[in-house]
Amino acid sequence: MNLPPFNKTATQTKSAPTSLVRGWRFSLAARLSVLVIAIGVASTGLVLGLITMFPNDISLVVGICLLLLIPVSISLVRAQLRPMLALFRAMSGTVISYQDRDFSFGLHWQRNDELADLVDAHNELGSVLREQRLDLVQRELLLDSMLQNTPVAMVLLGQRGHIVFGNITARQLLNQGKKLEGNSLETILQQVSPSLREAMAQGGDGLFTVSAQTDAQGAALRTDAEEDEIYHLSRRHFILNGIEHELLLIRHLTVELRRQEVQTWKKVIRVISHELNNSLAPVASLANSAGALIERGQYERLPQIMKTIEERAQHLESFIHGYARFAKLPTPRLESAYWPEFIQRLQSQLPFRVVGELPQMIAHFDHAQLEQALLNLLKNAIESGSPADGVTLEIKSIVDGVRIEVGDRGVGMSDTVMSNALVPFYSTKRNGTGLGLALAREIIEAHGGRISLNNREGGGLAVSLILPH
């Protein structure tokens, strides 16, 4: 953005000391005083001359003086005030230009008086405002360049839900590269994936998954990958120019999650290797000792040695089984289920409150797997610090399936924790395995559904599971 050049023909900035530019200083007060004295002297001379000519007719003398002096005095005063009035009009015009953020105009006053000082101060103000404007424009260009080229999709909403700003990433993500400004968010959401619409409807921050099937149908938020893509939605409210605005940030987390998964799997391999060594080393040592005792015919210690080997083997089997259960999740076996009976079995294992009416229709899913997923989510909700009546479960029928939501009134999740929540073995608990949410995600996606996480307004977390019909 370039500002118009400073007008050098009609105006002039101070480029040299006032004494060199304007010469000898003759103040406004002195000039007006000289004008008054000159009028007074002229009036006195005229009166004396007329009295000499008409000594016996004073009224005639007064009349002639008034007829001559009033027009002359008015003309002289106007001659002195005309440039001042022009200066005031010009100054008023430049002030209006400043209000319109046009700082390219200045004033020039040839006389060296008090008005010259006012003009100099006015020009200095314009120069400062012009420099500040140029600096602000450069900063705005830098900020706009950063916002447009950031990999995070940014959408700024006005008071009525209309899009005020959308960067390049947001256009590509939500509107096939087309302009977003001027459209309503509701219109744009009609063409995006259902998971994003659900995340927007939840309110607050959230984590949602876009399935490859949704991308194949041509909806927005699509990628060229065949695997599901994970996004993080962040919402912030603030006041701009006295009007409330909402800023939406959509960050693509799939690549970062994959990188975190690789690092996590490396850590898991190190843990498994360490645990195997801790079990196999003493087993090998005990087996060697048992062999030596048998050669010497000393059988008294053999039962104790065999019992120790059995204990270490059972511990190792239990340890490996816990990891294998996640890594080898079987294909779901879909069976008919009646929601009230299914929820009743869950309530016999963990306490929670059912919100709303349960659907009366028959559902089809793997009983054991979905029960395990919901138990993990309910256990996380109970351990979140939520009050007992704050742990809830809601099941609702939607257009494309069934929506199961597990909610709590705990502390929720920070952006860092939420961005890693679905990574296997990632946990903020000291004794946590980090498999609860990851296993729930694997189970739901194996059923052809999707999972999303959202911080709830008023505190707490809501985990939504979408199961297709």
Side-chain angles (χ1 to χ4, degrees), residues 327-451:
K328 297 180 180 179
L329 185 69
T331 303
R333 297 176 57 186
L334 302 184
E335 300 173 342
S336 300
Y338 186 52
W339 285 113
E341 295 178 356
F342 180 77
I343 298 303
Q344 186 177 4
R345 288 201 306 272
L346 285 178
Q347 286 183 313
S348 65
Q349 302 177 64
L350 288 176
F352 61 89
R353 180 168 55 90
V354 177
V355 177
E357 296 291 334
L358 294 174
Q360 299 301 315
M361 63 181 184
I362 301 297
H364 299 84
F365 51 82
D366 189 307
H367 292 193
Q369 289 189 9
L370 186 60
E371 181 177 339
Q372 182 64 49
L374 291 178
L375 287 175
N376 288 341
L377 298 181
L378 289 168
K379 183 179 179 181
N380 288 341
I382 294 173
E383 296 175 351
S384 67
S386 172
D389 60 347
V391 178
T392 60
L393 186 143
E394 182 180 15
I395 302 178
K396 293 196 305 184
S397 297
I398 57 177
V399 176
D400 54 348
V402 177
R403 176 178 173 178
I404 308 172
E405 180 173 298
V406 176
D408 63 65
R409 286 299 179 184
V411 297
M413 286 186 178
S414 65
D415 290 344
T416 302
V417 174
M418 184 171 290
S419 63
N420 292 280
L422 298 180
V423 176
F425 309 107
Y426 176 85
S427 177
T428 57
K429 305 173 187 176
R430 174 172 296 183
N431 298 321
T433 62
L435 292 177
L437 281 173
L439 184 60
R441 172 192 167 192
E442 290 292 326
I443 291 173
I444 295 304
E445 292 182 353
H447 281 75
R450 55 186 182 275
I451 184 172

Side-chain angles (χ1 to χ4, degrees), residues 280-309:
L280 294 179
V283 167
S285 177
L286 289 171
N288 185 45
S289 299
L293 291 174
I294 292 173
E295 289 180 357
R296 293 196 298 265
Q298 301 175 353
Y299 303 105
E300 297 81 4
R301 294 179 55 193
L302 286 180
Q304 182 181 0
I305 292 176
M306 298 305 295
K307 183 178 181 181
T308 304
I309 293 176

Side-chain angles (χ1 to χ4, degrees), residues 262-302:
V262 170
Q263 297 299 323
T264 302
W265 281 116
K266 289 181 179 179
K267 180 179 178 180
V268 171
I269 291 173
R270 289 196 298 268
V271 172
I272 293 176
S273 176
H274 177 73
E275 192 68 24
L276 287 174
N277 289 332
N278 287 344
S279 295
L280 294 179
V283 167
S285 177
L286 289 171
N288 185 45
S289 299
L293 291 174
I294 292 173
E295 289 180 357
R296 293 196 298 265
Q298 301 175 353
Y299 303 105
E300 297 81 4
R301 294 179 55 193
L302 286 180

Side-chain angles (χ1 to χ4, degrees), residues 119-304:
V119 169
D120 290 341
H122 183 84
N123 289 339
E124 289 294 337
L125 174 62
S127 178
V128 171
L129 293 176
R130 184 166 53 254
E131 292 176 359
Q132 292 179 349
R133 176 61 176 169
L134 288 172
D135 183 61
L136 180 61
V137 167
Q138 296 300 322
R139 293 186 181 185
E140 288 178 350
L141 289 174
L142 176 61
L143 178 61
D144 183 70
S145 177
M146 294 173 61
L147 294 179
Q148 290 292 349
N149 293 282
T150 181
V152 178
M154 307 180 67
V155 179
L156 182 63
L157 302 178
Q159 195 171 19
R160 297 183 178 179
H162 283 76
I163 299 176
V164 178
F165 171 80
N167 64 354
I168 296 175
T169 306
R171 296 174 188 174
Q172 295 173 346
L173 202 61
L174 303 177
N175 204 23
Q176 301 178 353
K178 300 177 184 178
K179 183 179 179 182
L180 290 171
E181 289 80 358
N183 296 305
S184 67
L185 180 63
E186 183 178 357
T187 302
I188 296 298
L189 290 180
Q190 297 301 319
Q191 59 186 12
V192 302
S193 65
S195 54
L196 175 57
R197 289 198 297 270
E198 293 164 5
M200 291 294 300
Q202 287 286 334
D205 299 348
L207 198 68
F208 61 96
T209 302
V210 178
S211 64
Q213 290 82 0
T214 301
D215 295 336
Q217 294 173 2
L221 280 175
R222 64 176 184 270
T223 63
D224 296 331
E226 297 180 357
E227 300 181 2
D228 295 347
E229 300 295 314
I230 301 174
Y231 293 86
H232 178 256
L233 171 65
S234 177
R235 309 171 71 157
R236 297 294 182 268
H237 295 267
F238 59 93
I239 303 298
L240 179 64
N241 296 328
I243 301 175
E244 184 177 1
H245 287 71
E246 183 178 13
L247 180 63
L248 306 179
L249 303 175
I250 304 175
R251 187 156 59 104
H252 190 200
L253 294 180
T254 305
V255 176
E256 179 64 19
L257 284 176
R258 288 172 182 165
R259 188 183 67 82
Q260 292 287 347
E261 285 182 351
V262 170
Q263 297 299 323
T264 302
W265 281 116
K266 289 181 179 179
K267 180 179 178 180
V268 171
I269 291 173
R270 289 196 298 268
V271 172
I272 293 176
S273 176
H274 177 73
E275 192 68 24
L276 287 174
N277 289 332
N278 287 344
S279 295
L280 294 179
V283 167
S285 177
L286 289 171
N288 185 45
S289 299
L293 291 174
I294 292 173
E295 289 180 357
R296 293 196 298 265
Q298 301 175 353
Y299 303 105
E300 297 81 4
R301 294 179 55 193
L302 286 180
Q304 182 181 0

